[in-house]
Amino acid sequence: IVIAYYLRFDSFSFNLFTLPKQYQIFLFVSLFFWLFLSGRDRLYASKRMTSIKREAADVLLIIGASFVIAAVPAFFVRDYPLSRIFLVDLAFLAGSSLILFRFIGRWFLRLLRRRGHNFRQLLIVGRNARAYQFIKKIEETPEYGYRILGVIDSPNGEYKFPPRLKYLGELPDLEKVLRSHIVDEVFVFLPIKSFYDEIGEILRVCESVGPEVKIPTDIFSLKMAKS
């Protein structure tokens, strides 16, 4: 905001309380709604499987919403109007800097993950074609930083996965597995229609024990991004 204010008014100060009242109101209201919206939309959650385009779109959407909401009360302070050029400059600076920071962060983290650092451990629930495709994709893309702990399923699961993937038990064993192993995320590939009650129990157990639980809905068109 200091740089945007300087570009518009040729005035520079790190003390934000010296700015005109409407700019102070705009700053604190936009910051509040940025924190609220980014928390609600999980902007700072793990983005390993989200494309940079999707992440950039989320950043720009939340910046735009925060600025629009914050501009409303600021315009009621009539010392002089909130500058539209200032808003454009600030939106450009905030959006470009945040996207650039995330792009550099992605590059650095992928470099670490390829070397075996910064990984998250997954538990797969269900053995079927969708689970198999997901596991294959994870093994082909080490930059995601995922390691598969193993699989749990009913004894009559559709697929027999390779021996390197441990069969850790049946669905009722989920809580025991979560408490005896380090599991960061649980991916559920059970058919929702025929395993509705079981999936509900899985969600309850994961909420109780702590790991994130995800139910991929369209493994082939989501580019490993949507869950």
Side-chain angles (χ1 to χ4, degrees), residues 31-50:
L31 178 61
F32 171 81
F33 278 99
W34 167 265
L35 294 174
F36 171 75
L37 294 173
S38 60
R40 187 198 66 175
D41 295 341
R42 297 175 58 79
L43 190 63
Y44 290 96
S46 175
K47 301 291 182 181
R48 296 165 187 253
M49 301 172 74
T50 304

Side-chain angles (χ1 to χ4, degrees), residues 171-200:
L171 300 180
D173 300 321
L174 174 62
E175 185 168 358
K176 182 177 68 175
V177 171
L178 293 180
R179 294 190 183 279
S180 59
H181 297 81
I182 297 175
V183 178
D184 298 299
E185 297 182 28
V186 176
F187 278 79
V188 181
F189 291 93
L190 299 172
I192 294 178
K193 185 175 181 180
S194 53
F195 285 87
Y196 183 84
D197 292 336
E198 289 84 350
I199 292 174

Side-chain angles (χ1 to χ4, degrees), residues 34 43 53-66 91-92 94-96 98-99:
W34 167 265
L43 190 63
K53 291 181 180 179
R54 174 72 185 188
E55 191 173 354
D58 290 341
V59 168
L60 294 177
L61 183 63
I62 293 177
I63 287 176
S66 302
F92 174 78
S96 58
L98 282 171
I99 292 171

Side-chain angles (χ1 to χ4, degrees), residues 126-127 151-161 167 169-173 190 195:
R127 293 177 293 174
V151 181
I152 67 171
D153 195 10
S154 57
N156 57 347
E158 298 177 27
Y159 273 62
K160 300 299 182 185
F161 288 157
Y167 180 74
E170 301 180 17
L171 300 180
D173 300 321
L190 299 172
F195 285 87

